[in-house]
């Protein structure tokens, strides 16, 4: 069994947190990034993604790892002038340890949503959380999730994924159990291994949560039922306050071939709103990506949507593609112990301060990763990045790229 980490946080009126296997997560209050606070309205969001360690055979599939991501993609951002500095955030957070398990997922058939219920509604069939009945998001909502993910993958030079309805039932049941067990709000809880004591437990719910990035939003006196499902994708990509940046790494995995999406909304009619959601990312099958033109995956990269880097507490990241024919070979023969990061503002040759450098060769997406924090990043400025001294099969290599937040 391997160790994993996750972080959670909460904002008022916007709250946010992270989950884990069968554990209830504490939530910490803070004023949101725009300085708002309210006694009459509060919302919280939680995403979970557990970080597996590498060391699996080519037939082994790790499940998602721990971490949190934003639900609406704007935490820590600035709506001011384009040339303004991004604000620093000082959100409360805490790390937890837990254990990983392998995912027993079978192969699935890939297909696009057929659009038959594309009438603008969030659901093709409504969930009934109190009766433990899962719903099914509309094809339009599924397409939003698929399109946003593929839009972001394309920026990184990654192949598009397709939608698989084979996973719809288990992601729906996972979303249901998440919503059912967060109706009261307060201490939000998520788990890749929901215990049988949880309301609306089923084996399908367990399997869905076991193989998905999972998310919960909770609000009082604030209707979140109109939340765009694509915003959940942005939140997973941002992975705010997540050292492992596990959600992002699964979404930017070159070997991710297909996804499924589930969602469950609940309101008690008295001002309580809950959304549970799941995006299935762990599968047994691995597409052939041997012809990929890229040699690494970096975030942010080249012309990048500024809403996906909403502040200096968001970790930048880099993973090298040593072997495009075998996913787990990208952990062996790689030494990240001497890695150094240099970021230069191309407009004035100013060196950007880099801190909190972390490395791992865990089995999350590409099973090697370097991540760090950078201060003083501004919108609409080009930055040149050099990742130095990645040792690959005893040979030191440097990598260079650029990004601009637009």
């Amino acid at each position: 069994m391997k160790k994993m980490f996750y972080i959670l946080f909460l904002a008022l009126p916007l709250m946010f947190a992270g989950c884990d296997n069968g554990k209830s997560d504490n939530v910490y209050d803070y004023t949101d990034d725009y300085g708002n606070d309210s006694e009459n309205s509060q919302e919280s969001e939680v995403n979970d993604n557990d970080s597996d360690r590498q060391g699996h055979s080519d037939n082994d599939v790790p499940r998602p790892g721990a971490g949190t991501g934003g639900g609406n993609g704007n935490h820590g951002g600035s709506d001011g002038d384009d040339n303004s500095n991004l604000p620093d955030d000082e959100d409360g957070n805490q790390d937890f340890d837990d254990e990983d398990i392998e995912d027993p997922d079978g192969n699935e058939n890939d297909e696009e949503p057929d659009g038959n219920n594309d009438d603008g509604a969030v659901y093709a069939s409504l969930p009934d959380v109190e009766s433990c009945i899962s719903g099914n998001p509309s094809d339009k909502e599924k397409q939003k999730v698929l399109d946003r993910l593929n839009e972001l993958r394309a920026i990184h030079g990654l192949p598009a994924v397709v939608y698989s309805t084979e996973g719809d039932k288990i992601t729906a049941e996972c979303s249901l159990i998440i919503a059912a067990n967060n109706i009261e709000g307060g201490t939000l809880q998520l788990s890749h291994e929901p215990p049988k004591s949880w309301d609306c437990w089923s084996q399908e719910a367990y399997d869905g949560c076991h193989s998905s990035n999972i998310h919960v939003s909770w609000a009082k006196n604030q209707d979140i039922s109109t939340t765009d499902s694509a915003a959940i994708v942005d939140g997973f990509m941002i992975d705010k306050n997540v050292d492992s940046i596990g959600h992002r790494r699964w979404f930017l995995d070159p070997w991710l071939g297909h996804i499924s999406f589930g969602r469950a909304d609940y309101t008690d009619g008295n001002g309580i709103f809950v959304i549970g959601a799941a995006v299935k990312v762990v599968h047994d099958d691995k597409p052939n990506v041997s012809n990929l033109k890229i040699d690494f995956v970096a975030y942010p990269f080249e012309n990048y949507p500024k809403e996906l880097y909403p502040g200096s507490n968001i970790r930048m990241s880099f993973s090298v593609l040593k072997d495009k024919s075998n996913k787990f070979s990208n952990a062996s023969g790689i030494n990240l112990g001497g890695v150094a990061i240099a970021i230069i503002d191309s407009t004035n040759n100013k060196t950007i301060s880099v801190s909190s450098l972390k490395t791992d060769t865990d089995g999350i997406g590409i099973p090697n990763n370097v991540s760090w924090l950078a201060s003083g990043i501004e919108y609409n400025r080009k930055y040149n990045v050099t990742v130095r001294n990645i040792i690959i099969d005893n040979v030191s290599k440097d990598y260079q790229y650029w990004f601009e937040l637009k």
Side-chain angles (χ1 to χ4, degrees):
M1 306 295 284
K2 290 93 178 173
K3 290 288 183 181
M4 61 150 228
F5 304 94
Y6 78 93
I7 302 176
L8 55 81
F9 66 92
L10 172 151
L12 294 177
L14 183 63
M15 295 160 44
F16 190 84
C19 99
D20 203 25
N21 302 320
K23 287 191 175 181
S24 176
D25 299 337
N26 295 323
V27 182
Y28 299 87
D29 292 353
Y30 69 95
T31 301
D32 77 4
D33 298 323
Y34 302 100
N36 299 320
D37 202 352
S38 173
E39 296 179 355
N40 299 316
S41 173
Q42 64 179 15
E43 179 187 350
S44 76
E45 298 185 63
V46 179
N47 289 323
D48 177 70
N49 176 317
D50 313 340
S51 312
D52 284 87
R53 304 295 180 186
Q54 200 277 341
H56 310 284
S57 72
D58 208 24
N59 294 323
D60 292 333
V61 183
R63 69 179 175 79
T68 54
N72 60 12
N74 65 358
H75 301 301
S78 171
D79 288 335
D81 296 336
D82 284 344
N83 292 323
S84 63
N85 285 337
L86 298 175
D88 293 345
D89 294 332
E90 299 295 339
D91 303 329
N93 62 77
Q94 182 174 348
D95 292 345
F96 298 81
D97 291 334
D98 210 341
E99 295 182 344
D100 292 280
I101 338 183
E102 301 297 317
D103 173 63
D105 175 57
N107 293 331
E108 302 185 17
N109 296 321
D110 299 331
E111 57 190 69
E112 297 289 333
D114 60 24
N116 290 337
N117 52 25
D118 189 5
D119 58 359
V122 173
Y123 291 98
S125 59
L126 287 170
D128 184 344
V129 175
E130 288 186 337
S131 300
C132 290
I133 298 172
S134 61
N136 185 29
S138 66
D139 288 336
K140 181 175 182 179
E141 210 70 10
K142 296 174 186 177
Q143 193 70 51
K144 286 180 180 179
V145 170
L146 181 68
D147 289 348
R148 182 56 169 169
L149 177 55
N150 281 334
E151 176 186 358
L152 301 180
R153 285 175 64 89
I155 296 174
H156 296 271
L158 294 168
V161 300
V162 297
Y163 196 89
S164 174
T165 58
E166 291 290 327
D168 279 0
K169 181 59 177 175
I170 62 172
T171 53
E173 292 295 325
C174 171
S175 302
L176 170 67
I177 199 172
I178 292 169
N181 290 275
N182 285 282
I183 288 175
E184 297 302 322
T187 300
L188 301 180
Q189 55 186 354
L190 285 171
S191 177
H192 286 296
E193 298 174 330
K196 291 185 177 180
S197 60
W198 278 22
D199 293 341
C200 303
W201 190 94
S202 68
Q203 187 62 51
E204 289 171 320
Y206 183 97
D207 293 344
C209 292
H210 198 56
S211 56
S212 302
N213 288 350
I214 55 180
H215 163 99
V216 64
S217 301
W218 185 91
K220 183 176 181 180
N221 298 326
Q222 184 174 343
D223 186 354
I224 58 174
S225 63
T226 58
T227 298
D228 191 330
S229 296
I232 296 172
V233 175
D234 285 8
F236 284 136
M237 283 291 296
I238 292 169
D239 256 0
K240 184 174 182 177
N241 286 345
V242 183
D243 284 350
S244 70
I245 51 171
H247 303 95
R248 183 193 306 163
R249 290 167 67 178
W250 281 109
F251 275 176
L252 297 182
D253 181 1
W255 288 272
L256 178 63
H258 49 89
I259 62 167
S260 304
F261 173 66
R263 174 169 167 165
D265 286 63
Y266 167 85
T267 178
D268 67 354
N270 295 306
I272 299 299
F273 295 86
V274 179
I275 299 174
V279 180
K280 182 168 171 50
V281 292
V282 175
H283 309 279
D284 284 337
D285 59 311
K286 300 181 184 69
N288 184 344
V289 299
S290 57
N291 293 324
L292 265 182
K293 305 297 184 183
I294 59 173
D295 295 317
F296 59 84
V297 174
Y299 165 100
F301 184 67
E302 298 193 351
N303 291 315
Y304 216 72
K306 65 182 181 180
E307 66 269 19
L308 292 184
Y309 184 78
S312 59
N313 65 335
I314 306 303
R315 301 191 72 82
M316 297 184 178
S317 59
F318 179 94
S319 295
V320 64
L321 273 170
K322 166 195 170 185
D323 186 348
K324 300 170 190 175
S325 64
N326 186 323
K327 174 175 179 172
F328 292 108
S329 292
N330 288 282
S332 60
I334 294 181
N335 185 335
L336 303 175
V339 169
I341 308 296
I343 304 177
I344 304 296
D345 185 336
S346 66
T347 61
N348 56 17
N349 288 323
K350 176 184 175 181
T351 299
I352 299 300
S353 176
V354 172
S355 63
S356 189
L357 182 70
K358 295 183 181 295
T359 65
D360 71 67
T361 52
D362 297 347
I364 317 168
I366 301 174
N368 69 77
N369 187 255
V370 183
S371 70
W372 61 91
L373 299 176
S375 60
I377 301 296
E378 300 180 26
Y379 295 138
N380 299 311
R381 296 173 79 97
K382 183 178 179 180
Y383 295 91
N384 297 316
V385 183
T386 302
V387 182
R388 295 195 177 97
N389 198 33
I390 291 184
I391 308 298
I392 301 178
D393 297 330
N394 298 316
V395 177
S396 177
K397 292 193 67 174
D398 296 347
Y399 296 85
Q400 294 182 325
Y401 62 95
W402 62 272
F403 71 86
E404 183 173 354
L405 303 172
K406 303 179 77 102

